């Protein structure tokens, strides 16, 4: 139980940390990218400012495209009507590629764009060229940002790796811390379980003395007791019996919690056992209920026969109690890796909000509370199923009956 809580807590911490860390990393990354872009753009702008008069002069030179791989910047000068005039490039053949690029997505004046070509990345800036305050043409000024781009790709990979590693570390650390934090809770929980177990155990003897005394009183004083006193003694015996049953259930659950149950495991002829129980229940079912069985032959199971019997009593008893009329069915089938026992009724059904709670101790549905009962039946059933390494599944469509399926792995 605490193991599950520890796991859940660690998972929650790790997820929260992951989300928190990822959020900051994303912000950090975008801030860094933005900073780099601004810096590169500033460099392009100042290069333009320094050389804008030269660019104007170049417009009238007839020398066309030159290639110099060693320079930092490159530029292409165009006339107002998009005719190429002059250029200085560092990546041979890029000018044609660029023309294709901005024929698809034109660059507006004074704005910058990113351009990728042959695994190289560039920042491009478009600026007007003035001739006596009139625009005579424009220039596309560019700079390679491949190095920075690679640096950021590596950075992001590293950050993702760091996030993953630190999330795992945080998960492990919180698992360890959760264990530390659970020590006092576990201690008081164990104490409480021991208290319930001891109290149930200690109450058993006085209760059985009380019951036997009532029986003796009923027998020996049969002639002297008034009819009213006889009724009282009878009621007290009933209550004492109920209390004894309740104590037995509590003791069983307490032992289950402390994992101290004694199992008398043997090979159970499950098909025969179910048939016998079905005959018993057939007799006590009201006439309005049709009890049908579908029991596969010759199924055997290794377990504690009295517990399995009790489990079936609990499920069938509930089905009978919460069904006014209609069919109740009991089925047993064997699959390749599991034995499945199902009790289905056509009774009042279980509201959806009750479904996760009905296996809790002392939990009773609204309708059930009008009847006698302890609310321990299904808690006991679940404990028995768990002791046999199985699981119990409930399904119910509101007001259309309930179905309890017990699955035992083979
Ligand atoms: P007892 O401990 O005496 O059996 P109980 O029947 O109220 O009392 P559980 O058997 O643990 O307690 O069942 C818990 C609750 O689940 C019930 O109070 C009832 O609301 C609901 N429930 C169980 N089985 C059915 C069923 N077959 N149909 C409808 N509701 C059911
Ligand atoms: Mg019950």
């Amino acid at each position: 139980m605490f193991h599950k809580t520890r796991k859940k807590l660690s998972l929650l911490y790790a997820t929260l940390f992951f989300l928190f860390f990822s959020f900051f990393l994303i912000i950090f990354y975008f801030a860094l990218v933005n900073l780099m872009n601004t810096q590169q753009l500033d460099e392009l702008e100042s290069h333009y400012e320094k050389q804008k008069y030269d660019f104007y002069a170049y417009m009238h030179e007839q020398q066309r495209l030159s290639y110099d791989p060693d320079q930092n910047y490159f530029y292409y000068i165009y006339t107002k009507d998009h005719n190429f005039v002059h250029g200085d490039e560092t990546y041979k053949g890029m000018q044609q590629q660029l023309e294709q690029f901005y024929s698809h997505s034109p660059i507006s004046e004074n704005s910058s764009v990113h351009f990728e070509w042959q695994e190289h990345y560039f920042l491009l800036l478009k600026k007007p060229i003035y001739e006596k305050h009139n625009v005579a043409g424009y220039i596309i000024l560019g700079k390679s940002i491949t190095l920075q781009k690679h640096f950021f790709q590596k950075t992001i990979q590293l950050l993702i790796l760091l996030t993953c590693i630190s999330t795992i570390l945080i998960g492990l650390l919180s698992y360890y811390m959760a264990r530390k934090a659970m020590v006092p809770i576990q201690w008081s929980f164990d104490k409480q379980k021991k208290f319930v177990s001891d109290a149930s155990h200690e109450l058993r003897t006085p209760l059985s003395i009380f019951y036997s005394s009532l029986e003796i009183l009923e027998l020996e004083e049969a002639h002297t007791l008034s009819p009213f006193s006889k009724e009282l003694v009878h009621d007290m015996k009933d209550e004492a019996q109920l209390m004894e049953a309740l104590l037995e259930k509590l003791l069983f659950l307490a032992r289950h919690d402390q994992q101290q149950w004694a199992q008398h495991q043997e090979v159970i002829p499950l098909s025969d056992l179910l048939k016998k129980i079905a005959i018993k229940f057939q007799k006590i079912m009201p006439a309005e209920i049709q009890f049908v069985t579908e029991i596969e032959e010759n199924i055997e199971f290794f377990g504690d026969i009295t517990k399995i019997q009790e489990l079936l009593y609990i499920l069938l008893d509930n089905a009978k109690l919460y069904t006014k009329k209609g069919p109740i069915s009991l089925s047993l089938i064997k699959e390749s890796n599991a034995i499945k026992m199902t009790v289905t009724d056509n009774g009042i059904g279980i509201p959806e909000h009750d479904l996760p709670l009905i296996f809790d101790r002392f939990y009773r549905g609204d309708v059930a509370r009008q009847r006698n009962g302890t609310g321990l039946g299904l808690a006991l059933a679940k404990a028995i199923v768990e002791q046999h390494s199985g699981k119990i599944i409930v399904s119910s469509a509101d007001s259309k009956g309930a179905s309890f399926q017990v699955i035992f792995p083979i």
Side-chain angles (χ1 to χ4, degrees):
M1 180 186 171
F2 283 104
H3 190 66
K4 246 188 194 168
T5 317
R6 269 172 68 192
K7 263 193 187 165
K8 267 191 198 164
L9 266 179
S10 325
L11 211 70
L12 184 74
Y13 280 145
T15 316
L16 279 180
F17 171 82
F18 178 77
L19 291 177
F20 213 62
F21 205 56
S22 308
F23 175 71
F24 277 109
L25 282 186
I26 289 169
I27 290 182
F28 171 74
Y29 178 77
F30 281 109
L32 218 62
V33 168
N34 195 25
L35 205 72
M36 181 206 89
N37 275 346
T38 318
Q39 191 198 346
Q40 299 295 324
L41 208 59
D42 284 350
E43 280 180 26
L44 274 182
E45 290 269 7
S46 65
H47 185 70
Y48 167 76
E49 287 302 325
K50 259 191 262 161
Q51 285 200 274
K52 62 182 177 191
Y53 298 109
D54 295 342
F55 293 141
Y56 169 66
Y58 293 154
M59 275 197 77
H60 302 290
E61 281 183 21
Q62 284 314 302
Q63 178 197 359
R64 290 185 62 83
L65 188 61
S66 68
Y67 167 63
D68 181 0
D70 295 330
Q71 61 182 5
N72 254 341
Y73 302 92
F74 57 88
Y75 65 86
Y76 303 106
I77 294 172
Y78 293 86
T79 62
K80 234 170 34 178
D81 314 314
H82 309 288
N83 292 320
F84 176 73
V85 184
H86 179 77
D88 209 349
E89 66 181 5
T90 47
Y91 296 85
K92 206 167 187 178
M94 201 170 81
Q95 189 242 339
Q96 280 170 339
Q97 214 54 44
L98 249 178
E99 267 179 34
Q100 263 184 23
F101 169 72
Y102 45 69
S103 68
H104 292 304
S105 37
I107 314 171
S108 45
E109 252 168 51
N110 287 315
S111 71
S112 65
V113 289
H114 286 248
F115 170 66
E116 187 187 340
W117 180 62
Q118 291 185 347
E119 294 181 5
H120 288 281
Y121 301 91
F122 307 98
L123 185 67
L124 305 173
L125 178 71
K126 185 176 176 182
K127 284 284 184 185
I129 297 176
Y130 293 103
E131 184 177 18
K132 294 182 189 145
H133 303 296
N134 294 322
V135 175
Y138 60 91
I139 177 171
I140 302 277
L141 199 61
K143 183 177 192 303
S144 166
I145 50 165
T146 310
L147 269 179
Q148 287 87 339
K149 202 87 181 172
H150 285 168
F151 169 75
F152 276 107
Q153 277 168 354
K154 287 268 177 286
T155 312
I156 195 102
Q157 280 168 3
L158 192 75
L159 289 179
I160 290 171
L161 191 75
L162 259 176
T163 312
C164 293
I165 292 175
S166 39
T167 306
I168 292 170
L169 283 179
I170 288 286
L172 292 175
L173 197 72
S174 40
Y175 190 68
Y176 172 77
M177 294 307 280
R179 195 177 70 186
K180 289 247 161 213
M182 292 269 167
V183 170
I185 304 171
Q186 176 94 49
W187 185 80
S188 63
F189 188 67
D190 287 346
K191 276 227 143 201
Q192 189 209 334
K193 279 193 298 194
K194 193 165 175 341
F195 169 75
V196 175
S197 158
D198 291 350
S200 322
H201 198 265
E202 292 304 319
L203 281 172
R204 260 185 354 171
T205 321
L207 196 65
S208 53
I209 293 171
F210 178 65
Y211 185 77
S212 334
S213 312
L214 284 174
E215 269 195 325
I216 295 168
L217 191 71
E218 204 180 26
L219 275 175
E220 292 200 346
E221 302 297 323
H223 311 295
T224 49
L225 284 176
S226 69
F228 177 68
S229 305
K230 272 186 193 167
E231 207 181 307
L232 269 185
V233 173
H234 187 262
D235 286 351
M236 280 162 84
K237 265 177 68 185
D238 274 358
E239 290 303 318
Q241 251 175 341
L242 273 178
M243 222 189 305
E244 211 170 72
L246 177 68
L247 279 184
E248 281 303 322
K249 286 178 184 170
L250 277 178
L251 201 60
F252 178 83
L253 287 170
R255 285 189 183 138
H256 172 74
D257 284 342
Q258 291 172 312
Q259 306 197 327
Q260 285 177 352
W261 66 87
Q263 289 240 53
H264 307 286
Q265 300 231 326
E266 58 190 315
V267 177
I268 309 169
L270 203 57
S271 306
D272 296 343
L273 179 73
L274 257 73
K275 276 186 209 161
K276 266 190 219 160
I277 294 174
I279 291 169
K280 268 191 210 165
F281 264 86
Q282 191 88 53
K283 286 180 193 152
I284 56 164
M285 285 289 177
E288 306 81 58
I289 293 175
Q290 302 93 50
F291 185 44
V292 283
T293 56
E294 204 179 315
I295 299 167
E296 221 177 276
E297 293 291 333
N298 301 325
I299 298 181
E300 290 186 333
F301 176 64
F302 191 69
D304 187 328
I305 189 159
T306 43
K307 301 271 171 61
I308 299 292
Q309 213 163 329
E310 197 169 347
L311 165 70
L312 281 158
Y313 282 157
I314 292 169
L315 297 180
L316 286 170
D317 197 44
N318 278 349
K320 179 176 144 267
L321 211 64
Y322 302 114
T323 307
K324 281 204 186 86
K325 62 175 187 180
I328 289 179
S329 73
L330 168 68
S331 77
L332 174 72
I333 52 164
K334 187 175 180 177
E335 289 179 355
S336 57
N337 54 358
I339 291 174
K340 290 182 177 172
M341 279 193 314
T342 317
V343 176
T344 308
D345 64 58
N346 200 24
I348 57 169
I350 305 166
E352 210 176 319
H353 59 86
D354 270 353
L355 283 176
L357 306 170
I358 54 168
F359 293 100
D360 288 355
R361 285 161 205 192
F362 296 109
Y363 186 82
R364 308 196 70 208
D366 291 336
V367 183
R369 261 179 240 139
Q370 295 152 14
R371 301 189 174 103
N372 274 342
T374 57
L376 284 176
L378 286 179
L380 212 67
K382 192 172 175 230
I384 294 171
V385 173
E386 279 172 0
Q387 286 178 7
H388 287 85
S389 316
K391 60 179 175 178
I392 181 164
I393 301 167
V394 56
S395 58
S396 172
D398 210 0
S399 311
K400 286 198 193 82
S403 179
F404 287 85
Q405 185 173 57
V406 175
I407 303 171
F408 290 127
I410 297 174

